[in-house]
Amino acid sequence: MSTDILLIPGPIVISKRVQDALGTPSVAHTCPEFVAKFSDTLKNTRRLFKAGDSAQPVVLAGSGTLGWDITASNLICPEEKALVLSTGFFSDSFADCLTAYGAEVRKLNAPLGDVVPLDEVRSALKKDAYKLITITHVDTSTAVLSDVKSICEVVKEISPETLIVVDAVCSAGCETLDFDAWGIDYALTASQKALGAPPGLSISMLSQRATRVALQKEEQHTFFTSLKKWIPIMQNYEKRQASYFATPAVQLVNALKESTGEILEYGLDKRIEKHREVSEWFKSHLTGAMGLKLVSANDAVSAHGLTAVYVKDPPAAISALKARGIVIAGGIHKDIKGEYIRIGHMGESACNDSLKHLQKCIDALKQAAL
Ligand SMILES: Cc1ncc(COP(=O)(O)O)c(C=O)c1O
């Protein structure tokens, strides 16, 4: 087994408690013990998104991408309009998914390393009626953080009927995200980033209004992602009643219960503040003494769960760190693919000081003389 420190922007290092939860013996997905764990997991999810009782959590076997399919197949119909705010590769892929299901997509592209100016969002919403808008809270290809709260305010002011969809795959658990207070309709994430579980679960939250849209949708061009099928199942599980549409990923749900439990025990707000502190400390080493340039344009648009930074020779940097026992990732934004590296600092690696993962990473980056 590799003893390398995994510092890519997800999957991330998982705690011993989470790893133990994965190794539990098989049980029936309908047995009372598992049903109780699933119920607790759904309740924890609600708290992580800061969503109240009227919101509907959904936890399915699948990855973050499944949340895009859920959006495209339940919240919009073919030929309806979607406005996509693009801050990089993942925002673009979300647009591709919506297009694949027949939505009419208009994309507003941010300048590389920056966000879409609010005025552009405002004028697009004034010009056309959109069924939904998508915001990628953190685009993991650029480490750009979007101001979801301000965008929500603009949408509520100009086009209150437009559903607000937030891709929180790289933000849930490490960035401030206030589902109810900001008026988000659908937020989607995945298990393998700041939530601190292994890959394999799609985790999302629907507002009352989005739940209504999904339940009233007449044409169903989907089966597995049908929220008409899943919402009653989730409601039953949360009430501790076994229910079946398709078999849940039992061990992964066990792991997510523990990882979300750890975050809530640590304190969600404290955890988010810790990610901010660690990120600022980490970035200041790179941009200070090491004289490197970040992909994100300024502090206000810099994510706190990862860093994307330009280096002279990314493959050499990745190999040099690997030789020192640290695994980082290369760039994936089409315009600058071969010019930068990405380093994740989420979950255990950011919050468990005793591991010293990021100090080790800084030391290795300095030795590698980028
Ligand atoms: C912002 C964002 N959205 C969506 C995805 C897709 O998630 P997955 O790879 O789990 O399908 C990712 C993956 O890294 C991501 O970073």
Side-chain angles (χ1 to χ4, degrees):
M1 245 343 237
S2 167
T3 52
D4 287 344
I5 300 171
L6 184 62
L7 292 181
I8 63 172
I12 64 163
V13 168
I14 57 174
S15 71
K16 169 85 171 55
R17 173 170 156 190
V18 173
Q19 202 157 329
D20 288 347
L22 278 169
T24 48
S26 276
V27 292
H29 55 289
T30 48
C31 75
E33 294 78 8
F34 175 67
V35 173
K37 282 187 185 171
F38 204 160
S39 171
D40 290 346
T41 307
L42 292 165
K43 288 185 167 57
N44 285 354
T45 302
R46 220 185 262 292
R47 290 175 62 196
L48 285 173
F49 281 97
K50 299 202 171 176
D53 289 343
S54 64
Q56 178 58 57
V58 177
V59 174
L60 301 183
S63 73
T65 302
L66 188 65
W68 298 343
D69 281 80
I70 291 174
T71 308
S73 57
N74 291 278
L75 301 181
I76 188 163
C77 295
E79 288 166 32
E80 285 184 324
K81 289 190 170 73
L83 183 63
V84 171
L85 308 189
S86 176
T87 44
F89 171 88
F90 290 100
S91 323
D92 289 345
S93 298
F94 198 168
D96 291 344
C97 177
L98 289 161
T99 304
Y101 282 82
E104 200 183 295
V105 175
R106 159 127 199 252
K107 217 165 26 157
L108 297 181
N109 293 312
L112 178 61
D114 213 335
V115 293
V116 178
L118 279 181
D119 278 347
E120 275 187 37
V121 181
R122 211 173 264 120
S123 46
L125 290 171
K126 279 186 181 154
K127 206 156 155 266
D128 269 312
Y130 289 97
K131 179 65 178 281
L132 59 82
I133 179 169
T134 72
I135 310 161
T136 304
H137 199 177
V138 169
D139 198 302
T140 321
S141 68
T142 51
V144 166
L145 170 71
S146 287
D147 180 355
V148 175
K149 180 171 185 268
S150 298
I151 300 166
C152 287
E153 283 166 4
V154 167
V155 178
K156 302 280 170 207
E157 178 201 324
I158 296 169
S159 180
E161 63 288 349
T162 300
L163 296 173
I164 300 174
V165 177
V166 177
D167 176 335
V169 171
C170 200
S171 68
C174 64
E175 305 285 357
T176 304
L177 178 64
D178 212 332
F179 187 89
D180 278 356
W182 296 353
I184 297 168
D185 288 292
Y186 183 58
L188 63 105
T189 190
S191 45
Q192 76 273 18
K193 298 195 196 268
L195 297 190
L201 291 176
S202 150
I203 299 136
S204 56
M205 190 68 61
L206 292 146
S207 68
Q208 219 170 10
R209 161 166 99 148
T211 303
R212 219 171 24 244
V213 169
L215 292 177
Q216 288 171 359
K217 189 163 186 283
E218 279 170 17
E219 302 252 331
Q220 293 284 311
H221 299 282
T222 182
F223 193 72
F224 184 79
T225 60
S226 165
L227 289 177
K228 268 191 181 167
K229 304 256 195 240
W230 279 117
I231 286 171
I233 306 292
M234 295 296 136
Q235 290 175 342
N236 285 342
Y237 264 108
E238 198 169 353
K239 285 187 286 194
R240 301 193 172 220
Q241 290 166 14
S243 200
Y244 177 77
F245 168 51
T247 309
V250 173
Q251 272 78 4
L252 287 174
V253 172
N254 288 345
L256 185 65
K257 173 185 175 294
E258 297 308 323
S259 74
T260 52
E262 277 181 340
I263 295 171
L264 294 168
E265 286 158 27
Y266 189 104
L268 179 58
D269 291 340
K270 197 173 141 205
R271 186 117 175 152
I272 285 160
E273 189 47 39
K274 178 73 176 173
H275 279 89
R276 173 184 294 279
E277 275 169 25
V278 166
S279 173
E280 285 172 0
W281 171 85
F282 189 78
K283 287 175 170 64
S284 71
H285 269 281
L286 300 181
T287 56
M290 296 177 72
L292 299 174
K293 184 174 177 289
L294 302 181
V295 173
S296 46
N298 56 60
D299 288 351
V301 302
S302 288
H304 301 103
L306 85 154
T307 296
V309 62
Y310 292 102
V311 292
K312 277 196 293 289
D313 186 346
I318 292 166
S319 305
L321 262 77
K322 172 73 181 152
R324 291 168 176 82
I326 295 173
V327 179
I328 61 168
I332 50 170
H333 189 286
K334 60 181 178 349
D335 297 341
I336 48 168
K337 217 178 211 164
E339 297 173 35
Y340 72 108
I341 53 174
R342 296 176 304 140
I343 300 158
H345 29 82
M346 290 177 248
E348 275 287 276
S349 292
C351 301
N352 184 343
D353 291 332
S354 68
L355 295 173
K356 300 192 174 18
H357 282 174
L358 296 165
Q359 183 62 57
K360 288 177 188 166
C361 182
I362 289 289
D363 294 345
L365 286 165
K366 282 184 179 158
Q367 283 164 17
L370 308 174

